[in-house]
Amino acid sequence: MTNDDLIRRNFRSVCEAGDMQAYDELYKSLYSRLIHFSAAVVGSFHLAEEIVSDVFIMVWQKRSQLISVENPVVYLYICTRNLSYNTLQQQRKHQYASLENLDTDAIAMSPDQEHNMISAEVAQKIESAIRSLPARCQLIFRLVKQDGLKYKEVGELLEISPKTVDAQLTIAVKKVAEAIRLDMSAELAQSYLLRQ
C-alpha cells in the first residue's frame, strides 16, 4: 500500500467513523509537509504550525461533510494554502500573496537519507542547486519531486495549468542537473589534477 493509499484510507476512516487513531496517523503523515508548505507562504514556522493545526482541527470538526473528498492530500494542501493566505491578509503583512515571494528556506527539506541512498555531500549539492531556482519553480519541484504530488494536483493547488507545472519542472530539473553536473565535473577535474 502506497503512502497516498494509506492517507486516503485514514482520511476515509476519520470521515466515516470518526476514527481517532486514523486521525492521528493522518496528522503524522502530513503535518511536516504541510508546515513547510505553509511556512513558505507566511514566512514563519511558528505561524505555519498554528495554521496546520487549525486545518486538522477543521478536518475533525467537519469530518462528516468531507466524505466525498476524493484526494485528501490535495484537499489538505489547498486548505493549508487558503488558510495561509487568509492569515497573511488578516495580518496585513502583504496586500497580495504571490508565489514569487515565497520563503524558499522554509520549503527546503533535506532529502531523506533512508529513502535516498546518496551521500550527504551529494545531497547538499542537490539542495544547493534546488535553492538556486526561482521561488515558484523551486516550490513546484519540491511539491512534485519531494512531496510526490502529480502535475494536475500541483496545478490545482497553485492555480496554474498542468502544462505550466510541466514546463516549470522541466526548467528545474535541467538547472539542477546542470548545476550538479558542473559541480561534479569540476570536482573530478580537481581530484584528477591533484593526483598528477
Side-chain angles (χ1 to χ4, degrees), residues 3 6-7 10 24-33:
N3 192 35
L6 189 60
I7 289 169
N10 285 331
D24 287 341
E25 291 299 317
L26 183 68
Y27 182 85
K28 287 175 189 170
S29 61
L30 288 170
Y31 187 72
S32 178
R33 289 164 55 181

Side-chain angles (χ1 to χ4, degrees), residues 104-124:
T104 55
D105 289 335
I107 58 176
M109 291 190 272
S110 61
D112 186 347
Q113 294 289 336
E114 287 178 31
H115 298 299
N116 300 319
M117 301 303 281
I118 56 175
S119 72
E121 188 178 331
V122 172
Q124 203 170 28

Side-chain angles (χ1 to χ4, degrees), residues 51-70:
I51 288 166
V52 174
S53 292
D54 287 348
V55 166
F56 277 98
I57 289 168
M58 179 275 304
V59 165
W60 183 256
Q61 290 172 338
K62 296 183 175 186
R63 64 189 178 276
S64 62
Q65 300 165 25
L66 303 177
I67 292 172
S68 63
V69 171
E70 290 181 29

Side-chain angles (χ1 to χ4, degrees), residues 49-100:
E49 287 174 353
E50 290 178 26
I51 288 166
V52 174
S53 292
D54 287 348
V55 166
F56 277 98
I57 289 168
M58 179 275 304
V59 165
W60 183 256
Q61 290 172 338
K62 296 183 175 186
R63 64 189 178 276
S64 62
Q65 300 165 25
L66 303 177
I67 292 172
S68 63
V69 171
E70 290 181 29
N71 192 333
V73 174
V74 172
Y75 176 78
L76 289 168
Y77 266 99
I78 289 173
C79 288
T80 302
R81 176 202 64 197
N82 292 345
L83 191 53
S84 297
Y85 284 165
N86 289 344
T87 301
L88 276 180
Q89 215 169 24
Q90 287 170 358
Q91 291 190 339
R92 301 188 197 295
K93 280 187 176 178
H94 303 287
Q95 292 297 335
Y96 175 74
S98 167
L99 290 177
E100 305 307 321

Side-chain angles (χ1 to χ4, degrees), residues 134-193:
R136 179 170 136 162
C137 194
Q138 187 178 146
L139 178 62
I140 289 169
F141 181 85
R142 291 184 191 283
L143 288 171
V144 172
K145 295 296 185 185
Q146 291 178 337
D147 291 357
L149 297 180
K150 294 173 178 60
Y151 291 15
K152 183 180 176 187
E153 295 168 339
V154 173
E156 186 178 334
L157 176 63
L158 302 180
E159 298 175 327
I160 57 178
S161 76
K163 286 186 179 189
T164 302
V165 173
D166 184 40
Q168 289 287 301
L169 193 61
T170 301
I171 291 167
V173 168
K174 279 183 184 174
K175 286 187 177 180
V176 169
E178 232 172 67
I180 293 169
R181 190 171 37 250
L182 288 174
D183 203 26
M184 296 300 206
S185 296
E187 270 186 31
L188 288 172
Q190 185 178 10
S191 67
Y192 175 77
L193 290 172

